[in-house]
Amino acid sequence: IKIATDGGDVWVLIGSPDVPFGGQALVRIDGGTRQITMRIALPAAHDEISEAIIPGSRGIWIPRRPGDYRGGLRQLLRVDRASGRVVRVGRPYDYGLIAGGPSGLWGTRWTTNVSPSKVRLVRIDPPAGPAGSDLSRLSLRAFVVGNGRIWGETTREVRGPNRLTVRFQYYVVAINPATARQTGVLKPIGPVLQAR
């Protein structure tokens, strides 16, 4: 089950017996009355896994990935809040991570027209957003959007004096949503942990 809030509404993604081949339904619940106000059958997804529900400026976004996850391309569904119409957005998107918040829907993407390839943070919704500087060295493991910033979580290797013992230090980094570039210095968020 996936759940997200969008102002006064709550959106829940559940398995649906009404849709064949392991289909899912998106349920809209009024936060004030706690009544179901909409139930939307999503396209059958027997070979895809819905990863999240992300409210955006143009609707509710649902990123999907192949069920076997062999590095395949993601699909994006967009659901209209008012009508419940579901749109499979264009071609597959080769995004590594996808997250959203007040500043829009964002994804990390490998550039393929340069060598060596670079990782950039791209705004998907609203469209034509900024693509930031190369973030490959950050090795982002996850990111969230909120409080006027994009916050990323990453790790770095810390080697001992003998260069054999590998440990990891966890960091949080702020990214400016206006430029999609890293701002400030990485901040450690925990002790160095030894790899096992």
Side-chain angles (χ1 to χ4, degrees):
I1 293 178
K2 310 291 183 186
I3 187 168
T5 183
D6 180 23
D9 294 319
V10 177
W11 298 84
V12 183
L13 188 64
I14 60 172
S16 173
D18 304 332
V19 183
F21 307 113
Q24 294 176 311
L26 184 64
V27 177
R28 180 180 187 174
I29 302 169
D30 184 289
T33 65
R34 295 182 231 163
Q35 298 296 314
I36 295 174
T37 59
M38 191 178 290
R39 182 183 171 92
I40 305 156
L42 299 179
H46 61 281
D47 60 345
E48 295 176 342
I49 296 173
S50 297
E51 297 182 305
I53 303 170
I54 305 172
S57 65
R58 294 188 296 159
I60 304 299
W61 294 86
I62 301 173
R64 286 179 163 180
R65 63 174 172 80
D68 57 9
Y69 198 54
R70 289 179 292 191
L73 301 181
R74 279 178 163 80
Q75 294 283 342
L76 280 173
L77 300 181
R78 188 179 71 235
V79 180
D80 184 87
R81 287 180 179 84
S83 67
R85 181 171 174 256
V86 181
V87 177
R88 188 180 288 268
V89 180
R91 59 181 178 76
Y93 290 85
D94 193 10
Y95 290 112
L97 302 171
I98 297 178
S103 67
L105 183 73
W106 295 81
T108 57
R109 174 179 260 174
W110 286 94
T111 59
T112 56
N113 57 345
V114 295
S115 180
S117 294
K118 301 175 184 294
V119 175
R120 297 190 184 279
L121 192 62
V122 179
R123 194 175 66 203
I124 305 167
D125 173 36
S133 58
D134 180 21
L135 301 177
S136 302
R137 292 177 61 101
L138 281 180
S139 300
L140 287 177
R141 295 159 33 100
F143 71 95
V144 295
V145 182
N147 294 331
R149 288 280 187 275
I150 298 170
W151 302 93
E153 187 264 329
T154 184
T155 60
R156 286 189 174 171
E157 286 187 4
V158 178
R159 294 193 176 265
N162 60 9
R163 306 288 299 166
L164 297 176
T165 303
V166 179
R167 298 181 178 189
F168 293 96
Q169 175 70 68
Y170 289 83
Y171 292 89
V172 65
V173 62
I175 299 170
N176 185 336
T179 62
R181 296 177 185 272
Q182 175 185 344
T183 61
V185 181
L186 290 173
K187 303 292 184 184
I189 57 175
V192 175
L193 302 178
Q194 185 165 333
R196 299 196 180 272

